[in-house]
Amino acid sequence: MSLSIRWKLTVWYGGVLAVVLAGFSAAVFLVMRYQGLARIDEGLNEELGDVLYEIKRAGDSTSLLQWLERRFSQHEGFDFQITAATGERFFASARLSSTVLPLPSTQTHSPWYETLPVASQGRWRTVNVQVEGPGGLLTVQVARSLTAFDHEMSELLVTFCLTGPLTLLVAISGGYFLARRALRPVQHMTRTANQISADQLHKRIKVDNPGDELGALGQTLNHMIERLERSFTEIRLFTADASHELRTPLTAIRTEAEVALGKLPDKEHQQILGSILEECDRLAHLTDQLLTLSREDAGVSKQVWEPVDLAALVRGVVETMRLLAETKGLRIGLKEQGPVSIPGDAARLRQVFYNVIDNAIKYTPEGGSIEVRVEPRSQAAYVVVKDTGIGIPPEHLGRVFDRFYRVDKARSRDQGGTGLGLTIARSIVVAHGGRMELESNPGQGTTCTVILPRNPPFQGNSN
Amino acid sequence: MPRVLVIEDERKVLRSLERGLQAEGYEVVTAATGDEGFKQATSQTFDCLVLDLMLPGRDGLQILADLRKRSQTLPVIILTARDTIEDRVIGLDAGADDYLVKPFAFAELLARLRVLLRRDRHERETVLWARDLEVDLVDRLASRGGTPISLSQREFDILAYLMKHKNTIVTRDMLGKDIWKEPNYSLTNVIDTYMSLLRRKVERPGQGPLIHTIRGVGYCLRDEPCP
């Protein structure tokens, strides 16, 4: 699965924040607990001091008990239990009258702090010490119920558990928002870059802050587009120059030959000049095709996308070529099912079908037939040109779209072919976002399928 | 004698245009640079200007614009090696009356010149004649010696076109552009086929051909002996 950068950023940010928040909450919780216990222990220690003072001062057990009863029976927050070495309880404060505090796990002469569970009264924090009393060894225990403390702690925990995710949620939405904001220039750049095609290379990406990372990216892209624009301009200039350079001598030859042709009465010379003119025409045609092709390849042809009724367009081409086919003794049929609208450039599309049908006529022997079908499908329009011609041997099938490639060189040159017709047809089809397919059985015929998308190519973000 | 100014920087083309036009009975003045051409176009009177677009110095479009700014109505045919539709539109928008893409057939230049120089004559004629061949442009009927010839739409268009350019050469390019509205080499075979069909219907055995093929150039419907 691939996430967009803004989601990745948000996820990372959220993850890190969750860990930090959890760590922070745990630390706060532990410190609070430690400090709370320390405070309680301090209080316990103070009270213990008081009790030990009374024990030390008392002359006998009875007076000690009296003093203890008076001072410690009712005491704010603290409870007391003094157990004799025999295990018999010597003294207990009022609240412990019905409950017995368990004895500590360790009996020492220095204060020992321990948290002890008391049946049905939660946990108690205690400080325990063994002292020599008037009537023998006594275990003194000062205790404080942890119920309030535990309650406080659990409230803290609940608070953390509630506010943590909430904070995280707010922070993540904030983070997402920030990431989106920070990446908005990227979206903008993507959109602009998508709109820039060969004939819109003058466009540039808007750079808001040239100083930051995205600004630098934008500038880099702009430089790249600039270089592209320059090379496209060079190609345009080259084709213009090339056409001038190639056509000017042809013009000179043509005109000179034609002028001479008008003056010469000599049949033989007329023949020679006629042949020169024919070669001129052939070269001119070749020049045209080469320039068309280089323009198509460079993508510098003007793209005029208009709704074109493909069925009507093909019908027009078939009607134009019909006489040619019939003169050659071929039947040419057209099957269509009403208008098929596709976006395209009608003049260039006509060129495609002229070339394809012209090829079919050239390579189908007398008595054969050519069937042209226009089939609208959901995504694309199919134009199938099926002939009963000589076919293309399998080893040539992959190469017939190559420029200047001819299956039978001598033969097609005799028929006026330049070997560029199919190449040009395919270039135009590709420029329309479509493709061409060729199937052939030598001796039985060839089927050429032109597939053109019904949606405008190169718009939005598809390319 | 119509006076034509030819502005073209390619010496060979210029020379052959000059010779060819002179042979056709034009008085030709030539200029090899834009500035020189502009000077001549503004200092003398011409019936037509043949203007190359790519010129050293002031280029063809500039000359055209400058001439039109001075409200010169001189008919202008531009010659261009640039063949994209935009280039043609630019030329026509700048005020050119016609354009030819190099390499053009000299016969086509002659035909276009004739059209520009006698623009309105053909428009008024509705019935054209060549020997005993009659072509009625309004009723779209053709007949030979009074016998109607049955022609398809397209065949009639071609015959009418040949008749309008009677005794001059019509190139395949002209037919493609003006009849099929498509400057397309693929039409060459189609045009030749139509021509042979048309010949079969129009020509009468023993009467000498009307429609002639000029090898390497095009066709000509002629009712005069060869020039």
Side-chain angles (χ1 to χ4, degrees):
Chain A
M1 189 178 75
S2 79
L3 285 172
S4 72
I5 290 185
R6 61 172 185 273
W7 273 112
K8 268 187 208 155
L9 274 177
T10 311
V11 166
W12 272 103
Y13 175 73
V16 170
L17 194 75
V19 170
V20 168
L21 262 180
F24 176 75
S25 305
V28 167
F29 182 78
L30 290 174
V31 168
M32 291 279 277
R33 210 168 79 127
Y34 175 79
Q35 283 184 339
L37 280 179
R39 223 177 304 120
I40 289 170
D41 286 355
E42 208 176 301
L44 290 174
N45 192 39
E46 247 171 63
E47 297 302 323
L48 181 67
D50 288 353
V51 176
L52 292 182
Y53 174 75
E54 291 300 334
I55 293 173
K56 211 161 136 196
R57 216 177 55 145
D60 54 60
S61 301
T62 325
S63 66
L64 175 61
L65 198 58
Q66 271 174 0
W67 276 110
L68 289 174
E69 290 283 2
R70 192 176 308 156
R71 261 195 85 178
F72 300 109
S73 182
Q74 299 283 335
H75 201 289
E76 179 75 45
F78 295 96
D79 287 284
F80 306 88
Q81 175 177 286
I82 299 171
T83 316
T86 55
E88 189 187 332
R89 195 151 80 161
F90 175 71
F91 167 78
S93 55
R95 266 176 301 203
L96 286 175
S97 55
S98 56
T99 323
V100 179
L101 208 58
L103 286 173
S105 54
T106 315
Q107 305 268 14
T108 62
H109 293 284
S110 52
W112 166 257
Y113 295 90
E114 191 172 355
T115 302
L116 298 169
V118 175
S120 76
Q121 291 199 18
R123 301 180 320 137
W124 292 64
R125 183 68 179 167
T126 60
V127 61
N128 317 272
V129 72
Q130 271 194 328
V131 291
E132 200 61 42
L137 210 56
L138 293 175
T139 300
V140 179
Q141 288 176 290
V142 181
R144 186 180 176 120
S145 166
L146 283 178
T147 312
F149 176 75
D150 280 347
H151 184 67
E152 228 172 82
M153 283 295 123
S154 64
E155 265 183 357
L156 188 66
L157 202 65
V158 167
T159 309
F160 279 151
C161 287
L162 285 182
T163 55
L166 214 67
T167 316
L168 200 63
L169 201 72
V170 172
I172 283 176
S173 354
Y176 178 76
F177 175 74
L178 274 178
R180 227 178 59 160
R181 232 183 107 101
L183 291 174
R184 192 170 302 154
V186 175
Q187 269 184 316
H188 186 76
M189 275 183 221
T190 314
R191 216 172 309 130
T192 315
N194 265 328
Q195 286 166 355
I196 295 177
S197 56
D199 53 347
Q200 289 177 320
L201 280 171
H202 57 277
K203 280 195 181 174
R204 291 289 178 277
I205 289 163
K206 207 172 115 235
V207 176
D208 294 322
N209 301 309
D212 67 15
E213 292 90 333
L214 291 178
L217 178 60
Q219 280 181 324
T220 308
L221 280 175
N222 276 344
H223 288 151
M224 197 178 82
I225 297 165
E226 209 175 302
R227 286 197 298 276
L228 269 179
E229 189 185 19
R230 223 176 304 139
S231 49
F232 268 95
T233 312
E234 272 163 24
I235 292 171
R236 273 202 194 95
L237 280 178
F238 170 75
T239 46
D241 287 351
S243 55
H244 184 253
E245 293 304 317
L246 291 168
R247 283 174 170 150
T248 303
L250 283 172
T251 313
I253 298 172
R254 255 218 92 101
T255 316
E256 300 223 30
E258 258 186 87
V259 171
L261 187 64
K263 285 191 215 151
L264 286 172
D266 186 340
K267 261 268 173 290
E268 197 178 327
H269 282 128
Q270 282 191 341
Q271 283 254 314
I272 295 168
L273 285 175
S275 146
I276 289 176
L277 287 172
E278 277 174 5
E279 288 310 305
C280 251
D281 266 352
R282 187 184 297 252
L283 273 175
H285 172 51
L286 185 62
T287 310
D288 273 353
Q289 290 206 313
L290 275 175
L291 291 172
T292 304
L293 200 56
S294 69
R295 270 196 290 260
E296 290 292 340
D297 286 355
V300 294
S301 287
K302 194 88 182 158
Q303 311 276 4
V304 200
W305 302 117
E306 285 166 343
V308 174
D309 179 2
L310 196 60
L313 187 141
V314 172
R315 200 188 311 130
V317 174
V318 169
E319 284 319 311
T320 300
M321 304 298 265
R322 182 179 297 280
L323 188 66
L324 187 60
E326 285 171 356
T327 310
K328 235 196 116 180
L330 307 174
R331 270 167 318 188
I332 182 163
L334 174 68
K335 278 189 191 161
E336 42 141 331
Q337 308 144 13
V340 182
S341 180
I342 63 154
D345 178 339
R348 285 159 71 211
L349 285 175
R350 256 198 298 276
Q351 179 82 60
V352 171
F353 299 111
Y354 275 126
N355 290 0
V356 172
I357 296 175
D358 194 42
N359 250 29
I361 293 175
K362 259 184 215 157
Y363 298 110
T364 305
E366 200 181 328
S369 68
I370 297 164
E371 188 191 287
V372 182
R373 287 198 312 267
V374 184
E375 296 172 6
R377 300 200 189 164
S378 60
Q379 292 298 312
Y382 285 60
V383 180
V384 184
V385 177
K386 190 174 175 211
D387 65 42
T388 58
I390 55 172
I392 304 164
E395 67 268 25
H396 294 288
L397 202 56
R399 298 197 54 196
V400 291
F401 286 114
D402 293 356
R403 50 194 64 189
F404 297 120
Y405 195 81
R406 298 185 190 85
V407 174
D408 181 345
K409 294 199 163 38
R411 180 179 180 138
S412 48
R413 207 173 271 141
D414 280 350
Q415 307 205 355
T418 56
L420 289 172
L422 278 181
T423 319
I424 288 177
R426 191 178 60 173
S427 290
I428 295 172
V429 170
V430 168
H432 279 75
R435 62 181 202 277
M436 277 176 84
E437 281 170 7
L438 212 55
E439 253 177 77
S440 188
N441 290 315
Q444 289 176 29
T446 305
T447 303
C448 179
T449 310
V450 176
I451 300 155
L452 292 159
R454 305 188 71 175
N455 295 316
F458 314 134
Q459 280 187 8
N461 45 17
S462 63
N463 196 313
Chain B
M1 195 190 286
R3 270 167 68 82
V4 179
L5 172 61
V6 182
I7 309 177
E8 159 70 70
D9 64 320
E10 201 63 38
R11 256 183 318 109
K12 274 197 173 175
V13 179
L14 186 62
R15 209 182 51 215
S16 52
L17 283 179
E18 184 182 11
R19 261 193 273 145
L21 288 172
Q22 276 168 350
E24 290 292 320
Y26 289 92
E27 189 186 332
V28 185
V29 176
T30 60
T33 68
D35 294 318
E36 190 195 330
F38 184 71
K39 210 182 293 166
Q40 273 163 341
T42 48
S43 59
Q44 303 177 39
T45 27
F46 293 98
D47 298 304
C48 189
L49 167 61
V50 177
L51 177 64
D52 184 29
L53 276 193
M54 278 180 154
L55 288 171
R58 202 192 294 240
D59 85 354
L61 281 178
Q62 193 57 48
I63 291 174
L64 196 51
D66 291 346
L67 283 179
R68 292 305 183 225
K69 228 182 277 165
R70 295 172 166 233
S71 53
Q72 286 245 30
T73 51
L74 174 70
V76 176
I77 298 182
I78 50 179
L79 307 179
T80 172
R82 305 178 208 166
D83 65 336
T84 60
I85 290 160
E86 306 102 82
D87 291 327
R88 296 175 200 178
V89 171
I90 290 169
L92 294 178
D93 280 353
D97 297 272
D98 210 339
Y99 70 87
L100 280 173
V101 177
K102 286 182 185 178
F104 51 85
F106 183 67
E108 184 168 358
L109 175 64
L110 290 178
R112 307 247 170 223
L113 268 175
R114 257 193 305 274
V115 169
L116 282 183
L117 294 173
R118 310 178 304 202
R119 203 169 234 176
D120 44 17
R121 221 190 76 196
H122 290 305
E123 313 293 322
R124 288 199 295 268
E125 280 179 313
T126 58
V127 180
L128 304 174
W129 287 88
R131 270 191 244 152
D132 59 344
L133 172 66
E134 181 188 356
V135 174
D136 185 332
L137 298 177
V138 177
D139 294 336
R140 297 180 65 83
L141 291 173
S143 60
R144 183 129 199 217
T147 317
I149 304 169
S150 133
L151 295 173
S152 73
Q153 194 98 333
R154 190 128 279 172
E155 287 161 359
F156 182 86
D157 288 341
I158 298 168
L159 183 60
Y161 193 83
L162 288 172
M163 289 292 273
K164 283 183 197 166
H165 293 88
K166 194 173 71 174
N167 295 322
T168 62
I169 299 171
V170 166
T171 67
R172 292 186 182 87
D173 269 357
M174 289 165 77
L175 288 169
K177 252 189 259 179
D178 294 338
I179 307 244
W180 275 269
K181 311 288 178 210
E182 201 149 5
N184 192 326
Y185 190 85
S186 321
L187 289 175
T188 305
N189 296 336
V190 175
I191 291 170
D192 290 349
T193 312
Y194 269 98
M195 275 301 176
S196 69
L197 210 68
L198 194 60
R199 273 199 176 123
R200 246 179 278 157
K201 292 186 177 180
V202 171
E203 303 291 4
R204 292 287 176 268
Q207 290 196 21
L210 274 173
I211 301 171
H212 301 260
T213 303
I214 315 296
R215 195 177 166 201
V217 186
Y219 297 94
C220 180
L221 191 148
R222 209 173 321 200
D223 62 355
E224 295 164 3
C226 278

